[in-house]
């Protein structure tokens, strides 16, 4: 509804949300519901649990300090297991049943991207935690924000560092995990390294 969209847009001004001073974001005294989705189980569970604990710690601190505008933050957690299809299902549930005004997650780029399509349609701001794929913030989706630098920026800084500090090292081999993060990093490294006169002699 228009009213819900307006309410979410008002709360978008509080995206520095969990760390900002108390803000008068609404007249209601009801809790502000915030969703967090990530791989709390599965092969990436260590990342997911770290994300969950961090969000819990900051939320508890903010609530002890009076919340936002006197309103408590209420967290809704969900485990996407690192699966894009599950992330989309959770995003839909967050937006419709749980009625969150902001969502954190996910960890991987595919899961974050899948959720972002739903959050865009439902006009729920999403802050991705560790996903690094360039396309996340290059698709024209005004509802998504990233809290980590893109993979190409990480690789660009690495190549610049090698060229500056280890200029005699001219031949490199790369080892990566065969997923979006690993492949994207290796491809970007190869492209940028060659531009600096560095030879890639092997990729595994």
């Amino acid at each position: 509804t228009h009213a819900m969209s307006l309410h979410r847009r008002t709360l978008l001004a509080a995206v520095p949300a969990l760390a900002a001073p108390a803000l008068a974001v609404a007249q209601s005294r009801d809790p502000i519901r915030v969703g967090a989705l990530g791989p709390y189980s599965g092969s990436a569970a260590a990342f997911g649990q770290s994300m969950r604990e961090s969000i819990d710690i900051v939320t508890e601190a903010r609530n002890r300090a009076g919340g936002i505008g006197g309103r408590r933050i209420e967290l809704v957690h969900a485990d996407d297991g690192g699966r894009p299809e599950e992330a989309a299902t959770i995003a839909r549930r967050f937006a419709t049943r749980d009625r969150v005004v902001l969502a954190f997650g996910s960890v991987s780029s595919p899961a974050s991207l899948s959720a972002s399509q739903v959050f865009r349609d439902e006009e729920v701001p999403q802050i991705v935690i560790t996903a690094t794929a360039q396309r996340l913030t290059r698709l024209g989706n005004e509802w998504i924000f990233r809290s980590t630098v893109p993979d190409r920026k990480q690789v660009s800084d690495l190549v610049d560092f090698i060229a500056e500090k280890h200029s005699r090292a001219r031949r490199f081999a790369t080892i990566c995990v065969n997923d979006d993060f690993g492949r994207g990093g290796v491809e970007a490294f190869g492209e940028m390294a060659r531009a600096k006169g560095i030879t890639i002699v092997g990729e595994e």
Side-chain angles (χ1 to χ4, degrees):
T1 67
H2 176 71
M4 183 178 293
S5 175
L6 182 60
H7 182 60
R8 285 177 174 150
R9 287 179 187 274
T10 302
L11 284 165
L12 184 55
V15 163
L18 304 181
L23 299 171
V25 294
Q27 297 301 316
S28 170
R29 296 294 100 192
D30 292 338
I32 297 171
R33 303 197 87 190
V34 173
L37 69 152
Y40 302 153
S41 64
S43 60
F47 292 103
Q49 290 296 339
S50 177
M51 180 195 86
R52 179 176 187 152
E53 290 167 11
S54 300
I55 292 170
D56 285 346
I57 288 168
V58 174
T59 300
E60 288 167 14
R62 183 72 258 163
N63 281 338
R64 280 196 306 273
I68 297 176
R71 298 172 66 190
R72 287 186 64 258
I73 301 161
E74 181 180 298
L75 284 177
V76 182
H77 282 289
D79 178 11
D80 65 24
R83 298 184 302 275
E85 65 280 2
E86 184 64 18
T89 299
I90 290 167
R92 183 76 60 195
R93 187 173 73 238
F94 276 179
T96 57
R97 189 193 73 184
D98 298 325
R99 301 173 71 84
V100 304
V101 296
L102 173 69
F104 289 101
S106 181
V107 165
S108 74
S109 294
S112 298
L113 186 62
S114 182
S116 75
Q117 294 163 355
V118 176
F119 288 134
R120 178 195 59 210
D121 293 343
E122 297 292 341
E123 298 187 338
V124 174
Q126 174 192 7
I127 300 176
V128 296
I129 302 298
T130 61
T132 60
Q134 291 280 120
R135 66 185 184 278
L136 282 167
T137 46
R138 288 194 171 178
L139 293 176
N141 180 354
E142 65 178 357
W143 295 93
I144 192 169
F145 306 85
R146 66 165 77 248
S147 64
T148 189
V149 297
D151 46 17
R152 290 186 66 84
K153 172 61 175 163
Q154 294 178 27
V155 170
S156 173
D157 289 348
L158 175 61
V159 170
D160 287 346
F161 174 81
I162 291 168
E164 180 182 338
K165 300 291 186 182
H166 302 282
S167 58
R168 295 179 63 180
R170 311 310 294 165
R171 293 165 57 82
F172 282 81
T174 59
I175 302 171
C176 75
V177 177
N178 189 23
D179 60 14
D180 279 7
F181 177 71
R183 287 189 302 271
V186 164
E187 288 168 8
F189 181 82
E191 174 189 329
M192 296 176 188
R194 282 187 285 272
K196 297 275 188 180
I198 294 170
T199 302
I200 306 300
V201 297
E203 296 179 0
E204 294 288 340

